[in-house]
Amino acid sequence: MFDNKNPSKTNISELGEFGLIDHLTQNFTVKQKTTVKGIGDDAAVVSSEKDSQLVVTTDMLVEGVHFDLSYMPLKHLGYKAVIVNLSDVYAMNATAKQITVSIAVSNRFPVEALEELYAGIETAASIYNVDLVGGDTTSSTTGLVISVTALGHAKKDDIVYRNGAKENDLLVLTGDVGAAYLGLQVLEREKQVFKVNPKSQPDLEKYTYIIERQLKPEARKGISALLKDLEVKPTSMIDVSDGLSSEIIHLCKNSKVGCNLYEDKIPLDPQVISTCEEFEMDSTTIALSGGEDYELLFTVSTEDFPKIKGNPHLTVIGHMTQESEGMHLITRANTKIPLVARGWNALQNEEED
Ligand code: ADP
Ligand code: MG
């Protein structure tokens, strides 16, 4: 699993910059009617839909900072680079339509490696129904950098910002949290084992879910439609990229409210619980500070509770309070701990009654 070496190697210089771009993008087709002109001119041309506003977001991934190619296959990296951007579009309650992809590569990467990267981008584009409409290709001295921009659209009144949460609103989370971070811990551990014994065959059976959440995350494409069906418009929304705790703090600060988050309500996959036990980590700390879950976190008015109640994709994990009450985790033992952004001492802070 750590062998990224490709038997056939074509140097990038054999194709040249334009040849390379043509080669990598040849399989992409245009699916969106708002894509007027895709790859191949000085700029892409995108038309707007009636009454809709354009949503734009960018995320850059840098080798050695955001990913490690010793356990991240390039195909997965391409996929993930698209997903992290689409997640931001969905967090605005918008529909993603187009992406651009810019890469900086060193000659350490053969054409075949970039083919893998683009295969992942293509898979994500096809599953999530977005068009690749452009990008930029440049060289780097050593590492790989990939930057994706996503374009989406939504009706003005449908867009959900971070700043609309009101006191008493319910705090709702899609899916579960903590898995992607733990998947990374398992991969890091196996990398160290592999360094010592390259012949070791890791048994990763019991970690399949958490490793998949790290290497092949999905974005919550369907939530906007689900909420529309349920006739629920969130009052605020954000995607969980940095960790639940820090995202809750963003919603609270932007909306000028406080929050009570209930420890016993935080949804955890059984693999998160068992792996936390194995690593002797606290599962709540992991859920709060882990990051890279790409779930959606939003607030709804209490009137909407009957509409979301019992939905298997949605969990009410807390409620918003007056700003002056602050932001707290209510533990299983019913103690109140201030929420802090990131940090491993999230649960070691002074306790209040
Ligand atoms: P320019 O010199 O005008 O920047 P380029 O030669 O960089 O043009 O790009 C030519 C076309 O290929 C443009 O449509 C551009 O958006 C697209 N393109 C360039 N690099 C990439 C890439 N890595 N992925 C996808 N499209 C790309
Ligand atoms: Mg260019």
Side-chain angles (χ1 to χ4, degrees):
M1 72 181 271
F2 301 107
D3 188 10
N4 277 325
K5 288 189 197 79
N6 201 312
S8 54
K9 280 194 175 156
T10 313
N11 199 300
I12 293 173
S13 60
E14 287 176 41
L15 290 179
E17 187 194 330
F18 302 121
L20 179 68
I21 296 170
D22 282 350
H23 180 71
L24 294 176
T25 59
Q26 65 190 356
N27 294 329
F28 287 83
T29 52
V30 166
K31 303 168 285 271
Q32 294 293 345
K33 58 178 191 297
T34 50
T35 305
V36 178
K37 177 73 192 177
I39 292 166
D41 212 309
D42 296 311
V45 180
V46 171
S47 64
S48 53
E49 283 184 3
K50 197 169 171 280
D51 300 331
S52 78
Q53 292 184 330
L54 189 61
V55 174
V56 185
T57 181
T58 297
D59 258 307
M60 186 186 284
L61 300 179
V62 178
E63 185 177 359
V65 179
H66 302 103
F67 59 89
D68 182 334
L69 290 176
S70 55
Y71 49 70
M72 183 66 146
L74 279 158
K75 193 169 176 176
H76 288 66
L77 175 65
Y79 192 87
K80 186 169 177 173
V82 176
I83 295 304
V84 302
N85 279 277
L86 299 184
S87 179
D88 281 321
V89 174
Y90 301 144
M92 300 303 289
N93 205 29
T95 310
K97 297 278 178 178
Q98 287 90 11
I99 53 168
T100 65
V101 174
S102 297
I103 52 172
V105 276
S106 74
N107 54 15
R108 155 164 95 84
F109 295 91
V111 173
E112 288 76 11
L114 300 182
E115 281 171 1
E116 286 292 305
L117 183 74
Y118 271 72
I121 294 169
E122 197 192 340
T123 305
S126 138
I127 292 175
Y128 286 84
N129 200 23
V130 293
D131 291 345
L132 175 69
V133 297
D136 200 22
T137 309
T138 184
S139 55
S140 106
T141 46
T142 49
L144 175 68
V145 179
I146 174 164
S147 174
V148 176
T149 296
L151 308 182
H153 76 93
K155 293 218 160 60
K156 181 172 178 276
D157 293 338
D158 286 342
I159 296 182
V160 178
Y161 295 91
R162 293 180 178 183
N163 66 2
K166 300 278 180 297
E167 185 186 345
N168 296 326
D169 280 358
L170 301 172
L171 182 64
V172 186
L173 180 71
T174 65
D176 54 71
V177 285
Y181 177 83
L182 279 180
L184 183 63
Q185 300 312 303
V186 170
L187 290 166
E188 290 278 2
R189 182 182 69 183
E190 295 310 322
K191 182 184 172 183
Q192 299 310 323
V193 172
F194 182 80
K195 269 188 189 160
V196 179
N197 177 12
K199 288 215 169 72
S200 68
Q201 281 294 327
D203 178 14
L204 301 175
E205 191 76 33
K206 59 180 178 173
Y207 309 115
T208 45
Y209 177 70
I210 60 175
I211 289 177
E212 177 150 335
R213 291 280 280 179
Q214 171 59 222
L215 294 183
K216 193 172 173 291
E218 302 294 349
R220 286 293 186 174
K221 180 174 190 262
I223 294 299
S224 175
L226 172 72
L227 292 174
K228 211 165 236 161
D229 281 351
L230 297 172
E231 294 176 359
V232 175
K233 187 189 169 194
T235 50
S236 69
M237 183 149 64
I238 191 167
D239 74 323
V240 183
S241 50
D242 289 339
L244 187 57
S245 180
S246 111
E247 312 304 1
I248 292 174
I249 292 170
H250 282 310
L251 286 187
C252 287
K253 289 198 168 154
N254 279 275
S255 299
K256 298 192 168 45
V257 291
C259 174
N260 284 337
L261 165 70
Y262 293 89
E263 183 180 23
D264 62 344
K265 303 283 190 236
I266 301 173
L268 302 174
D269 186 85
Q271 276 189 15
V272 166
I273 296 168
S274 59
T275 312
C276 276
E277 280 169 9
E278 187 190 334
F279 280 69
E280 294 182 351
M281 288 172 162
D282 178 78
S283 59
T284 303
T285 309
I286 300 302
L288 290 177
S289 307
E292 296 199 291
D293 298 303
Y294 303 108
E295 295 294 349
L296 294 175
L297 176 72
F298 57 90
T299 52
V300 298
S301 150
T302 48
E303 285 161 33
D304 286 331
F305 179 61
K307 301 180 193 164
I308 59 165
K309 193 175 140 202
N311 189 295
H313 303 289
L314 309 175
T315 310
V316 177
I317 58 172
H319 62 86
M320 309 322 252
T321 62
Q322 260 183 20
E323 187 177 22
S324 58
E325 289 183 39
M327 300 166 275
H328 290 97
L329 174 74
I330 314 296
T331 68
R332 286 191 189 86
N334 209 23
T335 53
K336 236 175 159 181
I337 301 176
L339 274 183
V340 291
R342 293 174 169 274
W344 293 98
N345 51 1
L347 295 177
Q348 287 159 12
N349 272 291
E350 87 250 49
E351 296 192 3
E352 302 171 358
D353 280 318

